[in-house]
């Protein structure tokens, strides 16, 4: 026993200092995309439109639309693959290292050259009073590949230690304050999701994690899925990605609960 205790002491403190310090992300991490209209073939060359659609055509989930010739990326559909970045000969799309992606509305999940990206705002005062210090979530796996569930579970490990923020996962929806939903919601999961949602006492929150839970993701054209959580229950927080990095999920949860500094 003494050896175990000594070994544990030698290991020291393993929990990441986030949010005080950002953890180092791997070089290949892809965060929020930046669209540079000045480089896009459709708007460069002194305004001569070239009708380039390479990024639109290469995208596997039809996440890109051209607005006045410039790509606008729907992050609710984006898989961060990033075929569009590779396909663009001008370098007009670049996937940055910015992990902050969560929004409060589906419409805000748009990366383009027009508007500033609207990150999730915290809950209103009444909901903050109820959930601000303790948020229990029931995770619902609604027919995806389990990639998002893996990153959701990572937050419970010693490195991330989600419970230090007052957030934890619970087994029963009756003990939960809300649902965290992954997957596109297969037809087989629709009724289960409704029943689970109804079993959570009001007021309740719903968090959609990953492209599948937001738009159906890579399954979006499949006839036996419903295109995401919002087709069944109202969603309060959208966290895009395929899957989102644990840091992106945690950032979204902490924004919702007003636990990040204004500058973060
Ligand atoms: S990174 Fe996103 S927008 Fe670009 S091609 Fe892949 S899915 Fe489409």
């Amino acid at each position: 026993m003494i050896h175990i205790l000594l070994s544990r002491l030698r290991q020291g403190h393993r929990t990441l200092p986030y949010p005080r310090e950002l953890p180092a992300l791997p070089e290949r991490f892809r965060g929020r995309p930046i669209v540079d209209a000045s480089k896009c073939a459709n708007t460069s060359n002194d305004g001569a439109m070239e009708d380039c659609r390479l990024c639109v055509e290469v995208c596997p989930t039809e996440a890109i639309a051209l607005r006045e010739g410039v790509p606008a990326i729907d992050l609710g559909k984006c898989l961060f693959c990033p075929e569009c970045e590779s396909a663009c000969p001008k370098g007009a799309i670049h996937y940055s290292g910015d992990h902050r992606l969560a929004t409060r509305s589906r419409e805000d999940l748009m990366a383009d050259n027009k508007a500033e990206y609207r990150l999730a705002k915290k809950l209103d005062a009444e909901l903050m009073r109820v959930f601000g210090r303790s948020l229990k979530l029931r995770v619902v796996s609604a027919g995806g590949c389990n990639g998002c569930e893996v990153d959701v579970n990572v937050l419970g490990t010693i490195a991330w230690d989600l419970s230090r923020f007052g957030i934890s996962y619970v087994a029963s929806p009756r003990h939960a304050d809300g649902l965290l939903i992954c997957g596109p919601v297969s037809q087989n999961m629709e009724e289960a999701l409704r029943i689970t949602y109804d079993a959570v006492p009001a007021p309740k929150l719903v968090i959609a994690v990953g492209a599948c839970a937001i738009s159906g993701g890579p399954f979006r054209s499949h006839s036996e899925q419903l295109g995401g959580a919002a087709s069944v229950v109202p969603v309060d927080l959208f966290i895009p990605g395929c899957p989102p990095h644990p840091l992106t999920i945690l950032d979204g949860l902490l924004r919702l609960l007003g636990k990040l500094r204004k500058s973060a």
Side-chain angles (χ1 to χ4, degrees):
M1 184 66 182
I2 188 68
H3 297 296
I4 294 174
L5 289 173
L6 285 173
S7 157
R8 186 65 195 85
L9 277 175
R10 271 196 294 272
Q11 285 178 26
H13 186 69
R14 289 294 182 94
T15 303
L16 294 167
Y18 179 80
R20 190 164 33 86
E21 271 175 44
L22 272 184
L25 293 169
E27 241 174 62
R28 61 179 187 168
F29 173 81
R30 288 186 290 271
R32 189 157 80 232
I34 309 291
V35 176
D36 186 344
S38 68
K39 290 185 178 167
C40 179
N42 291 336
T43 52
S44 55
N45 288 340
D46 299 327
M49 300 286 278
E50 289 193 1
D51 200 21
C52 174
R53 296 181 54 81
L54 284 174
C55 58
V56 176
E57 282 159 11
V58 81
C59 179
T61 54
E62 298 174 354
I64 304 181
L66 295 183
R67 290 185 182 167
E68 296 168 18
V70 180
I73 306 177
D74 179 352
L75 297 190
K77 294 179 180 172
C78 180
L79 308 182
F80 295 73
C81 51
E83 292 293 319
C84 51
E85 185 182 55
S86 315
C88 180
K90 305 277 189 175
I93 298 176
H94 164 63
Y95 276 74
S96 74
D98 190 345
H99 64 281
R100 302 168 304 164
L101 296 168
T103 65
R104 294 294 305 276
S105 87
R106 177 72 181 85
E107 293 69 39
D108 287 343
L109 289 170
M110 192 58 72
D112 58 21
N113 67 320
K114 297 277 182 210
E116 198 179 327
Y117 193 78
R118 278 199 291 268
L119 288 166
K121 288 206 165 63
K122 75 173 179 182
L123 295 167
D124 64 33
E126 179 55 21
L127 289 177
M128 278 298 292
R129 190 183 62 75
V130 179
F131 301 127
R133 294 176 61 184
S134 167
L135 180 67
K136 311 280 183 202
L137 296 171
R138 171 69 159 91
V139 178
V140 179
S141 186
C145 70
N146 286 349
C148 291
E149 287 86 336
V150 169
D151 280 348
V152 165
N153 288 341
V154 163
L155 290 178
T157 61
I158 195 168
W160 296 91
D161 192 13
L162 184 65
S163 57
R164 73 193 147 121
F165 302 106
I167 307 169
S168 54
Y169 307 134
V170 292
S172 167
R174 296 191 193 284
H175 300 159
D177 301 309
L179 302 181
L180 189 155
I181 303 171
C182 308
V185 189
S186 59
Q187 285 187 5
N188 280 343
M189 278 301 295
E190 182 183 4
E191 190 184 357
L193 179 55
R194 281 189 204 286
I195 292 171
T196 309
Y197 178 77
D198 290 343
V200 178
K204 47 190 152 188
L205 299 174
V206 174
I207 298 160
V209 174
C212 291
I214 296 172
S215 68
F219 304 106
R220 55 197 292 275
S221 56
H222 200 288
S223 60
E224 294 190 18
Q225 61 82 39
L226 304 181
S231 62
V232 183
V233 293
V235 174
D236 301 283
L237 181 69
F238 298 84
I239 305 179
C242 186
H245 191 280
L247 183 58
T248 299
I249 303 172
L250 184 54
D251 171 83
L253 295 173
L254 297 187
R255 271 176 206 289
L256 189 70
L257 298 178
K259 290 182 189 269
L260 287 178
R261 282 198 310 266
K262 279 208 173 85
S263 56

